Amino acid sequence: MNSFEYADEEIGGNEVGFVIPSVVIGAGVLSLPRVLSGVTDNADGWVTILLGGGLAVFFTWLVATLAARFPKQTFFDYSSLLISKPLAFITTASMAFYFLLFAAYEIRFVATLSQEYLFASTPKEVLSFVFLLVVTYAVAGSRAALFRLHQLFLPIMIGILIIVLLMTIPLIDVNHLMPIFKTNWTGYVNGTKSTLLSFMGWGVLLFYTSLMNQPKKAPKAGMIGMLVPVILYIILYIAAIGVLSNDVAANLTYPTNELAKVVEVPGGFFERLEIVFFTIWVMSLFTTSIVFFDVSVMALNSLFKNVKKITFILILAPVIYLVSMIPQGRLHVVQLSEIIGYLGIIISIFIPTILLIVAKIRRVKGDG
């Protein structure tokens, strides 16, 4: 049987609009209500999600604007024009490492979550290995197929999430949400910082925009895509606090997942809806992992153009597995996510901002 070949590897604005929420909706939202409950009062965390989401939308626009300024050029190509080739090499290699680290974290998180909710007696080493095999298989295929996978999975994930959220409405206690605006300013600042870190992922546009047939559409498509998780996070957070309360959410490891446990399906079709919820989240973590793995490969491919994609995949897969095994427990996994979050500030905010300022000052454009 011959494998199916897509006509080209180009993508449009729709694909970008699907990739951004697929990347952002990942591990962070499961614990976000707990994190925000620790620094805000009642349901004031929605304000920090709005502020952090607004910053995420802005930086998504900034990153897409930078990449769209240099159509059909890789990040290494246009950063070489702006900051010299040696610095561009170091920056691109650093980004490859950052996205590799992100992929390793997602894979380890899947193993941790699976062990806690489904496979209590299965070693995390086995769970991570099996998940990595599936991720590697997806990345090894056509990049166009990878984008179509996002278009297939994302509507399913959002559809089921909306169904779960609708079922929580009768369980929401308004007293858990009131009064509003009781948090002090330090709480809002800390909450906004945590929220912004949970929205990290727009940095992939630095690489994927080079595949677009109409790069000028990247900023608008990216912003629309980022608005999806912002709105979804606000609704999920309010539902979690409304049902569980701020104090309970602050003491749960994954309040969003616990939310699905309290939902009862009319007619008793599902006795444990959290299993469905968990399955959806594994799909989400899968799409996130394949993007970060793929972008890491793209970054290295732009540095070593003569090396085949499959070669990098075979080299990086064991590295990702070994890195995912470094954390010794849940606390270390959380610490790894914090490290990735702070690295994300450098990779997704600081570097693109500097490059865009340099491009505007020097009036450098990819199309001359």
Side-chain angles (χ1 to χ4, degrees), residues 25-347:
I25 301 172
V29 72
L30 293 179
S31 58
L32 188 62
R34 171 176 54 81
V35 175
L36 296 184
S37 295
V39 293
T40 60
D41 296 328
N42 304 319
D44 284 350
W46 70 269
V47 178
T48 66
I49 298 176
L50 196 62
L51 294 173
L55 290 173
V57 171
F58 170 74
F59 285 113
T60 301
W61 168 84
L62 188 146
V63 164
T65 300
L66 170 67
R69 197 178 176 95
F70 303 92
K72 305 295 180 184
Q73 292 189 34
T74 66
F75 175 78
F76 176 61
D77 290 338
Y78 63 77
S79 58
S80 296
L81 292 173
L82 297 172
I83 55 173
S84 80
K85 205 165 186 175
L87 276 179
F89 187 95
I90 295 171
T91 305
T92 308
S94 301
M95 288 190 168
F97 173 74
Y98 166 73
F99 288 113
L100 180 149
L101 203 61
F102 220 143
Y105 166 73
E106 298 288 340
I107 287 166
R108 176 56 188 272
F109 189 84
V110 168
T112 303
L113 202 64
S114 302
Q115 199 175 42
E116 185 162 337
Y117 285 96
L118 284 181
F119 309 109
S121 58
T122 306
K124 60 182 182 300
E125 289 83 0
V126 175
L127 294 170
S128 294
F129 181 71
V130 172
F131 188 73
L132 179 60
L133 284 180
V134 181
V135 170
T136 304
Y137 177 76
V139 175
S142 163
R143 194 159 280 136
L146 186 148
F147 285 105
R148 284 158 181 77
L149 204 61
H150 293 296
Q151 292 176 303
L152 175 67
F153 280 4
L154 188 65
I156 297 173
M157 291 188 294
I158 292 179
I160 294 180
L161 277 175
I162 290 174
I163 292 173
V164 172
L165 288 170
L166 288 174
M167 291 180 179
T168 62
I169 291 176
L171 305 174
I172 292 176
D173 185 344
V174 180
N175 293 322
H176 292 166
L177 307 177
M178 304 295 284
I180 59 174
F181 302 124
K182 299 294 290 182
T183 303
N184 58 37
W185 69 270
T186 54
Y188 285 124
V189 171
N190 290 330
T192 301
K193 183 192 72 175
S194 299
T195 304
L196 180 63
L197 296 182
S198 72
F199 284 124
M200 287 291 172
W202 62 81
V204 300
L205 291 180
L206 291 169
F207 296 86
Y208 279 157
T209 305
S210 66
L211 303 175
M212 291 186 71
N213 47 24
Q214 293 179 293
K216 290 182 179 178
K217 292 184 176 180
K220 182 180 177 182
M223 286 194 296
I224 293 174
M226 183 57 79
L227 281 174
V228 174
V230 172
I231 295 171
L232 196 64
Y233 276 33
I234 291 175
I235 298 173
L236 267 171
Y237 170 78
I238 291 176
I241 301 300
V243 174
L244 303 171
S245 82
N246 193 55
D247 292 335
V248 173
N251 291 288
L252 293 172
T253 307
Y254 305 120
T256 309
N257 206 40
E258 298 298 324
L259 183 67
K261 285 185 177 180
V262 301
V263 174
E264 294 183 2
V265 180
F269 292 107
F270 290 106
E271 291 186 359
R272 296 187 63 188
L273 189 63
E274 77 272 17
I275 299 298
V276 179
F277 194 76
F278 173 79
T279 305
I280 295 305
W281 231 257
V282 170
M283 289 170 64
S284 173
L285 294 169
F286 171 69
T287 54
T288 305
S289 302
I290 58 176
V291 167
F292 289 141
F293 192 171
D294 185 55
V295 172
S296 185
V297 171
M298 280 187 75
L300 292 175
N301 253 146
S302 68
L303 297 178
F304 306 98
K305 299 184 189 303
N306 294 327
V307 180
K308 291 182 179 179
K309 173 184 170 183
I310 190 65
T311 304
F312 281 121
I313 291 173
L314 294 176
I315 293 172
L316 293 184
V319 175
I320 290 174
Y321 178 75
L322 292 174
V323 173
S324 73
M325 290 294 102
I326 291 176
Q328 296 302 308
R330 187 189 297 165
L331 181 61
H332 287 169
V333 174
V334 172
Q335 289 174 343
L336 177 60
S337 73
E338 291 174 351
I339 292 171
I340 291 171
Y342 289 116
L343 285 177
I345 292 175
I346 299 172
I347 297 295

